[in-house]
Every structure is written in C-alpha cells, then in structure tokens.
Amino acid sequence: MKTTIIIPAYNEAEGIKETLLELAGYVPEDYEILVIDDGSTDDTYAIVNSVEYPNIRCIRHKRNRGYGSAIKTGCKNAAGDIVVWYDADGQHRPEDLVAVIRKMEAENLDYCIGVRTKESHCDRNRRLGKFILRKIVNMLAKEPVEDFNSGMRAFKKEVLLKYLPLLPQRFGASTVTTFIMQETGCVGGDCEILVRKRVGKSTVRPFKDGMRTIMLIMNIIILFRPKEVFGTVGVLAVLVGVVYGVVNAVTQGLGIPVLAAVICIFGIQTFFFGIISAQISQLRLEHYN
C-alpha cells in the first residue's frame, strides 16, 4: 500500500456507504481505505463492514473521542506511506483526492492541502466563525494560509507521525497541522478542490464549538506565537501604565497612582510569560522534530 485514505466517522450512517462506494469505484486498487468509527451510536460500523471491497478496513473506538483522536488512530494504523484525510459525509470528491496525492508525489512534497474553491458549499451558520478564525490564523501564521481547516489534506506518514502528540484530541487538528508544517520547515503545497453539501445532519454545535474555537486560538498562540503575542501585550501594558502614571502625577500632583503600578506589573509579568512560553514551545517542537 502506498496510500491510505483515513476517514473519521461519527454517526455517519446516512452518507458513509455512498462515500465508500464512490471511493472504491474511483481510486487505484492499491489505495487503502481506513475508516475510524469514533464511537458511533448509529449503524455506521455495520454499514462500513457491509461494503464489499478488499482494501477497506474499519477500526472502532469504544466511545466518542473526537476528530483529532480518530486522525491519530488512523495514522498509527495506516499501511500506506502517504496518508490523506477524507470526510465521511459525502462532501469530498474522489477525483480531488487523487489530484492532491498526484501533486504531492509529482513535486515530492511533505504535505499537500486541498484548498476549497469559491464554488464549494459552505454552511451559512458557520461563515462568521470561519471568517474570524481565518483572520486570526493569518495574523499568526508565518505565511498566508489559503484554507487552514480543510478536511482534505495529505501527508507523508513518517512526517506526520512525529507530530501526532501535538494534535488536539477533538477540535482543531487541521488548523494545528497547518502551523506545525510551517514551523518545522516541511515542504508543502496546495491543490484546489470542490466541496459538496454534506449528507446527513452536521454534528457541529455552535456554542460548544465556538468555545472550543476560542480555546484552539489560545492553544495556537501558546504553542506557536507566545513571544509575539504576550510579549507585545506586555510591552503595550507597560507603556500604558507609564504614560498614565506620569500624566496623573503631573496633572494631579499626587505621585504615581496605584492603578498605573498595577498595569505596569501586569505588563512585565505578561512579557516574561511570553518569553518563558516561547522557550517551552521551542523545546516541544524540537523534541518531536
């Protein structure tokens, strides 16, 4: 097997069979299709096992552990030298998957991300959240990111395996791998793909996943950009405290106010927190490199 298609699936009984049949009828015979049933409570597992195709395997989590955990299980058990992520809900097209892998092989890339075109389907309820997150991600990224959380992306397995411990268990595995690949100097590319409307009901929960998005942003900052973010906040806080203190001391004639001292202390602590976090972050990335 040279390529393994990893399909995380949680309660995807409505669309998983058609997804597998479409893949099996298109991809080369030496592609392995590996479904990770992430603790589904419907018939997902039984449906996968009913599909007659020699290179389909299914690994089942006893309980729902999250998208990132399913990706980790898939990578650890993949037979192929290349692993590619693929959604179970019918959004992706097999011809796009093959195009991503061919580009990766032709250019000898460490990874290749499927970038969704403007014609791709997008859930209206998620547009605002994705827009905000995209702006923040591009502010923090070293290079502009076309599609930071695309669900179709291919990696050399040996490259991705090194960084699996850094991936979150649930939300944000796609975004974190985007940063990891940039930070570690891996050679990557992208390939345009068209995403269709999903089959079945989405498992996205706006409020809960909104909170997870905030935590994801904080994790990205602490892991990849602590010095830039916390250092900048710390310096600005000290400057504000000094200016505020001097202005009040001159205009009121009562010396430096307590609030100015508190702001300066907060700024100094935040600055050094950023410096220490940056050192820890660098050690973590070097440990897995």
Side-chain angles (χ1 to χ4, degrees):
M1 296 292 174
K2 65 176 183 178
T3 298
T4 295
I5 305 167
I6 300 174
I7 307 178
Y10 175 62
N11 290 344
E12 297 288 357
E14 290 187 52
I16 187 66
K17 185 172 185 177
E18 185 61 33
T19 296
L20 294 177
L21 291 175
E22 186 180 41
L23 271 174
Y26 192 92
V27 300
E29 292 183 357
D30 60 350
Y31 279 33
E32 177 189 36
I33 301 174
L34 178 57
V35 180
I36 310 300
D37 177 17
D38 191 28
S40 297
T41 55
D42 62 5
D43 295 329
T44 298
Y45 184 70
I47 291 172
V48 174
N49 287 322
S50 71
V51 177
E52 296 183 0
Y53 184 73
N55 292 336
I56 291 180
R57 285 197 294 146
C58 186
I59 298 175
R60 191 177 196 183
H61 289 167
K62 292 183 178 179
R63 59 180 177 82
N64 180 245
R65 289 158 50 182
Y67 181 83
S69 181
I71 288 294
K72 291 180 182 183
T73 298
C75 291
K76 291 175 183 177
N77 290 276
D81 296 321
I82 294 175
V83 294
V84 54
W85 305 1
Y86 197 86
D87 286 351
D89 53 18
Q91 289 195 70
H92 291 152
R93 306 186 307 170
E95 56 264 40
D96 290 333
L97 178 143
V98 172
V100 166
I101 295 173
R102 284 178 177 169
K103 177 167 183 175
M104 186 173 168
E105 292 176 332
E107 300 181 16
N108 193 26
L109 303 174
D110 294 318
Y111 68 98
C112 186
I113 297 175
V115 176
R116 290 166 285 192
T117 62
K118 293 181 180 180
E119 293 77 22
S120 295
H121 174 78
C122 181
D123 189 341
R124 292 182 179 181
N125 295 328
R126 302 170 64 184
R127 285 180 179 176
L128 178 60
K130 285 187 174 182
F131 174 79
I132 295 173
L133 185 55
R134 181 167 58 250
K135 291 297 183 183
I136 294 173
V137 166
N138 276 293
M139 285 174 59
L140 298 173
K142 282 184 174 179
E143 302 171 3
V145 180
E146 291 291 333
D147 198 342
F148 64 92
N149 66 344
S150 170
M152 184 187 290
R153 49 187 60 210
F155 303 87
K156 287 182 178 177
K157 186 175 70 172
E158 61 179 358
V159 172
L160 186 57
L161 279 175
K162 293 189 294 184
Y163 304 110
L164 284 186
L166 297 176
L167 268 61
Q169 291 292 100
R170 290 189 174 273
F171 187 81
S174 301
T175 306
V176 171
T177 55
T178 299
F179 275 86
I180 290 174
M181 294 298 109
Q182 284 193 3
E183 290 295 314
T184 54
C186 293
V187 180
D190 55 59
C191 181
E192 286 193 347
I193 64 172
L194 179 67
V195 171
R196 304 172 291 197
K197 185 177 180 180
R198 68 162 287 136
V199 176
K201 186 178 179 181
S202 173
T203 57
V204 173
R205 291 155 291 186
F207 178 76
K208 193 170 185 178
D209 287 330
M211 295 302 296
R212 286 177 176 170
T213 299
I214 294 173
M215 293 305 300
L216 171 63
I217 293 169
M218 291 302 300
N219 287 335
I220 289 173
I221 290 173
I222 291 174
L223 182 58
F224 300 107
R225 295 290 181 271
K227 183 169 62 176
E228 291 83 351
V229 174
F230 293 109
T232 301
V233 171
V235 170
L236 289 175
V238 170
L239 290 175
V240 170
V242 169
V243 172
Y244 172 71
V246 171
V247 170
N248 271 266
V250 171
T251 58
Q252 302 296 327
L254 298 175
I256 303 295
V258 174
L259 180 58
V262 170
I263 294 174
C264 286
I265 293 172
F266 166 78
I268 293 170
Q269 289 177 331
T270 303
F271 176 81
F272 282 106
F273 174 78
I275 297 298
I276 294 171
S277 297
Q279 297 299 314
I280 296 173
S281 172
Q282 188 64 32
L283 288 173
R284 288 187 67 189
L285 289 173
E286 289 178 356
H287 173 73
Y288 294 114
N289 200 352

